[in-house]
Amino acid sequence: MKAVTFQGTKDVQVKQVEDAKLQKKDDIVVRITSTAICGSDLHIYQGALPTEKDYVIGHEPMGIVEEVGPEVTRVKKGDRVVLPFNISCGHCYYCEHEMESQCDNANPNKDIADTGAYFGFTERYGDYQGGQAELLRVPYGNFVPFVIPESCELEDEALLFMSDVLPTAYWSVENSGVKDGDTVVVLGCGPVGLMTQKFAWMKGAKRVIAVDNISYRLNHAQKMNQVEIVNFDNHEDTGNYLKELTSGGADVVIDCVGMDGKKSAMEAIGQKLKLQGGTLSAIEIGMNAVRKFGTMQLTGVYGSKYNMFPLGNIFERNITVKTGQAPVIHYMPMLFDWISSGKIDPTEIITHRISLDDASSAYQMFNDHEDEVIKVVLKP
C-alpha cells in the first residue's frame, strides 16, 4: 500500500509499505477514503517529536471497513467509519469515564510515558501506524470507530474532522469552562483555533478575540467567525495589549498553538539540541492576557521539558492552567448530529484537496504557510 512516511526532518515521502493487516482478534482494517494533515503532524515533520525512518504518520482518517477480526461485533465489512485520533480500549477506568485520550491499555510504552496512544504519533504514543495511507489497522474495533449511518449522504469532507479538529476544539472550550458572558482569547487561527472560536460563541462568550501573526489566517477567522483579530507581530507586548483591550484580562485564554509557535533564537537552538521542548511564546502571551483567577487552556501540543516556565507569576495571580490531549470519542455522536442538522459546517476550514501522492509537497506548503493554506485534505 502507499503511505506517507517520515524520512527525516522536513522530509516526508509517499512510499510503498507493507499492507496494514489484522494483528489481534478485535482489530479491523479500514480502506482510507479521506485523511488530513494536522498541525500536530508538523511536530513530527519538523523533528520536534522524534520518530524512526519510514514511520507512517497521520491521525485524521476515515474510510470503509475492509476486514474485521473474529471478535468484532460493532462494525462489519463495508461500513463507513470515522476514526478518532485516540486509540482506546473502551473498558479501562479512563475509557469508562470519558477520558479516552488516557486509555490505560492502548499504549505499551509504559517505561517511556504513562500516557495514552494515538494513531501515527511516534513510538512514544504507542507506535501505531498512521492514517495517511491507503489502509489502516484499527485496534479495539468494538470501541474506536464511529460508524456513519447508511442513511447519511454527507460527503467525507463534512465528517472527516470528527476525527480530531472538531472534538479537540469543543473539548478545549468545555474543559476551559467558557460560560455565558465570558471574554475568550484564542491563540492561533489554524483549524483547531478556528473551530475553538466558533464553539466559544456557541458556549455563550460575549467577546472572542483571535490572535495570530499570519494575515490570511486572521482574515479567515474574522470572516468565518466574526471575531476581533490581533496580529501579535504588531505589538511589542501582545499579552499586556490584550489585557488592556479587555479591561483587566480575558476570562479564558485557549492556546491552540503549542510548542511550534514563534520561537526566539535561543528556543530554536534549544529545541534542536533537545534541551527545550519548544517555544513558550504562546504561554507568555496567554499568561499576561488572562485576568487574575482566569483560566489558560493549553490545547496546542507541548513536548519534553521547558526552561524558564513562568510558574511564579501564574501562581501569584491564581491562574488555573488546564492541558492535554482531548478525549474525543464520546463527543463524536453529538458532533455528527450537529453536522447532520447543519448546526456546524466543518468544510469552512478546508482550503486544499490534494492527492495522497502529492503529500510531500503538501507538507512543505502547510509548514511554510504557502498559498493561504489552512487545512489540507489528502485523497488516497
Side-chain angles (χ1 to χ4, degrees):
M1 68 177 189
K2 288 187 292 187
V4 180
T5 63
F6 177 80
Q7 299 299 316
T9 300
K10 294 188 177 180
D11 182 10
V12 299
Q13 296 177 21
V14 178
K15 296 181 64 176
Q16 288 288 338
V17 301
E18 184 180 352
D19 281 359
K21 58 187 178 183
L22 301 176
Q23 296 179 23
K24 296 185 177 181
K25 293 181 179 181
D26 62 347
D27 286 352
I28 65 173
V29 172
V30 176
R31 182 165 297 279
I32 302 302
T33 55
S34 295
T35 185
I37 302 175
C38 177
S40 298
D41 294 328
L42 294 183
H43 304 320
I44 300 172
Y45 179 75
Q46 296 167 356
L49 287 178
T51 192
E52 295 178 356
K53 186 176 180 180
D54 290 329
Y55 184 75
V56 179
I57 54 184
H59 58 267
E60 297 184 348
M62 66 178 294
I64 307 297
V65 176
E66 186 91 348
E67 193 175 358
V68 299
E71 293 183 359
V72 175
T73 58
R74 187 166 171 266
V75 301
K76 63 184 185 301
K77 183 175 181 179
D79 280 347
R80 189 178 176 213
V81 294
V82 180
L83 303 169
F85 80 91
N86 297 167
I87 298 175
S88 313
C89 71
H91 55 77
C92 70
Y93 171 86
Y94 296 95
C95 290
E96 289 180 346
H97 290 81
E98 298 187 340
M99 298 182 282
E100 309 94 337
S101 59
Q102 295 298 333
C103 174
D104 249 349
N105 297 317
N107 189 350
N109 295 335
K110 300 299 183 186
D111 293 336
I112 299 175
D114 180 18
T115 184
Y118 317 110
F119 286 111
F121 215 56
T122 79
E123 296 81 355
R124 182 178 182 87
Y125 300 107
D127 200 21
Y128 293 92
Q129 297 293 285
Q132 292 171 11
E134 292 181 312
L135 295 168
L136 178 66
R137 173 211 165 208
V138 179
Y140 307 113
N142 290 315
F143 185 70
V144 170
F146 177 85
V147 180
I148 301 166
E150 292 183 8
S151 59
C152 177
E153 297 181 354
L154 290 170
E155 295 185 357
D156 279 10
E157 291 169 2
L159 303 171
L160 177 61
F161 305 129
M162 289 166 54
S163 59
D164 181 359
V165 174
L166 296 177
T168 293
Y170 187 81
W171 172 79
S172 299
V173 172
E174 186 171 78
N175 195 57
S176 66
V178 174
K179 60 186 182 302
D180 285 351
D182 276 354
T183 293
V184 180
V185 169
V186 179
L187 305 180
C189 293
V192 172
L194 289 169
M195 294 309 303
T196 297
Q197 295 156 24
K198 183 178 293 294
F199 290 138
W201 284 128
M202 291 172 65
K203 275 288 188 181
K206 71 174 182 182
R207 192 175 183 187
V208 181
I209 303 170
V211 182
D212 206 304
N213 71 331
I214 300 171
S215 296
Y216 76 80
R217 299 208 317 180
L218 287 164
N219 292 337
H220 197 100
Q222 192 173 47
K223 180 180 179 180
M224 175 177 160
N225 293 321
Q226 296 76 53
V227 292
E228 299 171 57
I229 57 174
V230 171
N231 187 323
F232 67 76
D233 278 344
N234 294 342
H235 305 279
E236 186 174 345
D237 187 335
T238 303
N240 280 315
Y241 171 76
L242 289 164
K243 185 176 181 180
E244 294 175 3
L245 190 66
T246 56
S247 302
D251 299 288
V252 175
V253 174
I254 303 177
D255 169 15
C256 299
V257 179
M259 64 185 179
D260 283 328
K262 191 172 183 179
K263 301 178 184 70
S264 68
M266 289 301 295
E267 286 174 330
I269 292 169
Q271 188 175 30
K272 287 183 179 180
L273 295 175
K274 311 301 182 189
L275 301 174
Q276 176 85 345
T279 183
L280 287 168
S281 59
I283 291 174
E284 289 167 348
I285 290 173
M287 178 190 69
N288 291 327
V290 73
R291 65 167 174 79
K292 291 179 286 187
F293 277 94
T295 298
M296 290 175 58
Q297 165 72 36
L298 308 185
T299 296
V301 172
Y302 286 92
S304 190
K305 298 179 180 179
Y306 288 79
N307 302 310
M308 302 300 291
F309 185 83
L311 181 59
N313 193 242
I314 289 171
F315 173 84
E316 66 190 4
R317 296 180 60 233
N318 284 81
I319 296 170
T320 297
V321 179
K322 296 186 174 184
T323 73
Q325 295 279 12
V328 308
I329 293 175
H330 70 278
Y331 287 111
M332 296 176 79
M334 177 192 75
L335 292 166
F336 175 77
D337 289 343
W338 285 5
I339 296 166
S340 299
S341 67
K343 187 173 181 178
I344 57 173
D345 177 13
T347 64
E348 290 181 293
I349 65 175
I350 300 172
T351 54
H352 292 73
R353 299 159 176 86
I354 295 174
S355 168
L356 185 75
D357 293 331
D358 298 321
S360 181
S361 59
Y363 263 88
Q364 184 265 322
M365 173 184 64
F366 190 45
N367 183 73
D368 296 344
H369 303 295
E370 296 176 349
D371 198 31
E372 299 195 351
V373 62
I374 290 177
K375 190 65 175 178
V376 178
V377 175
L378 297 174
K379 293 288 187 177

